[in-house]
Amino acid sequence: MPEDILINFTPQETRVAVMYQGAAQELHIERSSSRGLVGNVYVGRIVRVLPGMQSAFIDVGLDRTAFLHVADIWESRQQGEPTRPIERMLFEGQSIVVQVLKDPLGTKGARLSTQISVAGRMLVYLPQEKHIGISQRIERESDREALREKITRLVPADEAGGFIVRTMAENASEAELANDIAYLRKLWRDLQIMAKTAAPPALLYQELSLSQRVLRDFVNPETASIVIDSRENFQKLTAFAAEYTPMVAPLLNHYIGQRPLFDLHGVEDEIQKALARRVELKSGGYLIIDQTEAMTTIDVNTGGFVGVRNFDDTIFKTNLEAAQTIARQLRLRNLGGIIIIDFIDMENEEHKSSVLGEFNKALARDHTRLTVNGFTALGLVEMTRKRTRESLAHVLCEECPTCQGRGEVKTARTVCYEILRELLREARQFEAREFRVLGSVSVIDIFLDEESHGLAMLSDFIGKPISVQAEPSYVQEQYDIVLM
């Protein structure tokens, strides 16, 4: 089935939707104020070396110091040499050239590597390696061998650096490959010159914008069209494609309709659904997706679905549909890290095998590296999905100021009892003529009705009048006690 890519431009952000069979499969958002950092090369200064963690914190000019583990230091990965402790390779105050592997996530800083790679149209240049690799998506062994021979002819044996051949190079001529090699070598030479003169922290190389990366990275043999809703950016991308990705240029289309592009294809609705905790299944079942710092959990429920045969059949059909939906939601929400899936319990081993097979089949379209384990003794499916950028929820949402991210708030009655205890504490600590309670409307209503007797008893006990005042702007857990 063909795949379409939609690109929506506004001055503030660029949004990309990858569509398959009329439904959004992936969403990528890049804001002008906070572009992604993966692929950027910096010259940084080592702030701290931690031998116990075999890691170092490096200032590259970001809000938080970035993180470098010993496993990501190129010198420690050379074959034939034992890995040296990080404290013998790095020292505080040292300048170092690093590349971002992962964007900052939550409270964690960016993850770095000293092994630099620079991506071109058809090749990825590895200046510190002497290796030729071929993309796994080029499956035919004859094509892989032909490409390896072409690169070997074009790269002299005495020249440093290795290459990874990208999928787009599958039908490339030697002239096109030679141009890409020359471009990447020049880019690396320029970067080295800048690294010698720049004072850390400094940015040496910035990865392409999201729209340019779409042309370089997202396009595959199944891509039928790339639809762009901005004339100015359509012209810019057409010029970029003509120079760097000529095979992609015929796929570019300028959308001139009156209706917003994402509305026309239902992407805006999909974004709203992807932010919800509950995902409805067509059969009547539903998923509950909870994303936490440690892991993501997905619970499958039958809901209102009633099978036509028996209960086992109902469960099996719900789990099959859930397997397809979960695979899509992982890509759509860009969920990463540890993921635990609680399918509805199945007694039949064939049903379990079929659900797991359907799940792996649905995940096959996901280009992110992942691993899936079978059902555990508790009937759970454990999997991991590589996390390289923030999830959709973390990009578009922030912690709720009312519940502080808990997902629930204290009841009005609970807050009332807290206020009564706080009044008693303050009466013993401070001398006041009167105490006035400012609270939300729901809390004050309880004090004026059901808890009026309790408030009067406390007033008699402390020997001071207590008055209450509703503040419409207060959330339910918010209150103040004013000493008069």
Side-chain angles (χ1 to χ4, degrees):
M1 294 291 289
E3 194 174 79
D4 298 300
I5 299 175
L6 313 179
I7 308 180
N8 164 239
F9 285 96
T10 64
Q12 298 79 24
E13 65 181 3
T14 301
R15 300 187 300 171
V16 174
V18 179
M19 310 293 292
Y20 179 71
Q21 294 183 339
Q25 304 294 317
E26 290 183 24
L27 290 168
H28 299 260
I29 298 175
E30 181 177 81
R31 291 178 170 165
S32 305
S33 58
S34 56
R35 280 183 60 176
L37 305 175
V38 173
N40 287 4
V41 179
Y42 297 86
V43 56
R45 178 181 289 108
I46 298 175
V47 176
R48 192 176 179 194
V49 178
L50 302 174
M53 295 176 59
Q54 283 298 290
S55 60
F57 289 101
I58 300 175
D59 178 16
V60 293
L62 305 176
D63 293 338
R64 294 191 295 273
T65 54
F67 176 81
L68 174 66
H69 190 265
V70 69
D72 295 316
I73 299 177
W74 176 73
E75 291 82 359
S76 71
R77 297 167 62 177
Q78 297 183 68
Q79 294 182 357
E81 294 186 11
T83 301
R84 290 189 295 158
I86 195 169
E87 62 269 23
R88 294 188 182 179
M89 292 186 282
L90 307 178
F91 57 87
E92 293 182 10
Q94 176 184 352
S95 295
I96 186 170
V97 176
V98 289
Q99 186 169 39
V100 177
L101 290 180
K102 292 183 180 180
D103 281 326
L105 296 170
T107 59
K108 301 175 184 176
R111 181 158 182 173
L112 306 175
S113 172
T114 64
Q115 185 176 25
I116 311 300
S117 64
V118 186
R121 178 166 59 98
M122 298 180 180
L123 303 170
V124 177
Y125 182 41
L126 308 173
Q128 299 143 310
E129 294 276 359
K130 190 62 179 175
H131 168 73
I132 297 175
I134 310 294
S135 168
Q136 292 182 350
R137 293 171 65 187
I138 301 176
E139 297 178 354
R140 291 174 56 185
E141 191 56 39
S142 58
D143 292 341
R144 296 171 65 88
E145 194 57 37
L147 285 167
R148 188 175 283 107
E149 290 175 1
K150 284 182 183 178
I151 301 298
T152 302
R153 285 196 297 270
L154 293 170
V155 179
D158 58 342
E159 285 195 19
F163 293 90
I164 296 175
V165 181
R166 307 180 64 140
T167 309
M168 289 189 66
E170 189 169 5
N171 300 311
S173 65
E174 286 199 15
E176 290 174 316
L177 292 171
N179 288 338
D180 221 27
I181 291 171
Y183 162 74
L184 290 170
R185 288 196 185 279
K186 181 180 183 303
L187 186 62
W188 175 242
R189 287 195 298 270
D190 294 344
L191 194 149
Q192 285 181 300
I193 293 170
M194 291 172 60
K196 292 177 181 177
T197 57
L203 174 66
L204 303 179
Y205 168 78
Q206 187 170 30
E207 179 60 291
L208 300 177
S209 67
L210 174 59
S211 57
Q212 292 169 326
R213 294 200 308 275
V214 167
L215 307 192
R216 189 190 69 186
D217 301 338
F218 289 30
V219 176
N220 60 64
E222 295 181 351
T223 304
S225 66
I226 302 171
V227 184
I228 303 161
D229 67 357
S230 161
R231 178 178 296 278
E232 178 186 355
N233 286 286
F234 172 73
Q235 293 170 346
K236 287 181 180 178
L237 289 178
T238 300
F240 178 84
E243 184 173 358
Y244 293 104
T245 56
M247 291 183 292
V248 175
L251 303 178
L252 300 180
N253 293 284
H254 178 217
Y255 175 71
I256 57 175
Q258 292 297 314
R259 191 176 176 188
L261 179 63
F262 272 29
D263 283 352
L264 179 66
H265 293 271
V267 180
E268 296 290 5
D269 290 338
E270 289 291 347
I271 292 174
Q272 297 307 314
K273 291 177 183 177
L275 297 176
R277 181 169 177 255
R278 177 167 168 150
V279 179
E280 301 294 340
L281 302 177
K282 292 180 180 179
S283 64
Y286 62 92
L287 310 176
I288 297 295
I289 302 177
D290 287 315
Q291 185 180 353
T292 68
E293 186 77 16
M295 68 178 69
T296 297
T297 60
I298 303 176
D299 186 34
V300 183
N301 299 278
T302 55
F305 179 46
V306 178
V308 295
R309 295 180 184 174
N310 53 48
F311 189 56
D312 287 345
D313 187 54
T314 301
I315 290 173
F316 179 51
K317 288 187 176 180
T318 303
N319 282 338
L320 282 176
E321 185 184 0
Q324 297 173 346
T325 304
I326 290 169
R328 176 170 169 264
Q329 288 294 322
L330 294 179
R331 291 179 67 189
L332 195 62
R333 298 172 185 238
N334 192 34
L335 298 174
I338 299 171
I339 300 164
I340 306 295
I341 305 167
D342 185 9
F343 286 104
I344 306 168
D345 290 341
M346 293 174 287
E347 299 294 335
N348 191 316
E349 291 299 325
E350 289 185 7
H351 285 179
K352 286 184 179 181
S353 179
S354 296
V355 168
L356 198 60
E358 186 67 28
F359 187 45
N360 282 310
K361 181 181 176 182
L363 288 171
R365 298 190 60 82
D366 194 338
H367 305 310
T368 303
R369 191 173 70 205
L370 47 81
T371 59
V372 180
N373 296 327
F375 284 91
T376 67
L378 296 176
L380 306 174
V381 172
E382 300 172 351
M383 67 172 292
T384 61
R385 187 172 184 269
K386 187 176 180 181
R387 184 186 299 170
T388 56
R389 57 190 173 91
E390 293 275 20
S391 68
L392 184 68
H394 285 163
V395 171
L396 300 180
C397 305
E398 64 182 6
E399 186 178 89
C400 171
T402 301
C403 71
Q404 301 298 315
R406 300 196 313 270
E408 54 193 10
V409 296
K410 296 174 183 175
T411 65
R413 189 175 300 277
T414 300
V415 177
C416 283
Y417 295 165
E418 283 188 7
I419 292 172
L420 292 174
R421 288 191 293 272
E422 186 61 28
L423 282 167
L424 184 58
R425 288 191 201 97
E426 298 204 7
R428 289 172 175 172
Q429 190 173 357
F430 303 105
E431 283 294 330
R433 291 181 292 105
E434 178 186 348
F435 294 93
R436 177 169 297 173
V437 177
L438 308 181
S440 66
V441 174
S442 57
V443 170
I444 299 303
D445 282 348
I446 290 180
F447 273 133
L448 294 175
D449 186 12
E450 302 167 47
E451 293 299 331
S452 58
H453 180 63
L455 196 63
M457 286 178 61
L458 180 61
S459 178
D460 291 341
F461 181 76
I462 64 176
K464 302 290 172 63
I466 301 173
S467 59
V468 296
Q469 179 179 324
E471 291 289 341
S473 61
Y474 279 24
V475 297
Q476 189 155 287
E477 292 188 5
Q478 184 180 0
Y479 67 86
D480 290 298
I481 297 175
V482 182
L483 281 60
M484 308 294 286

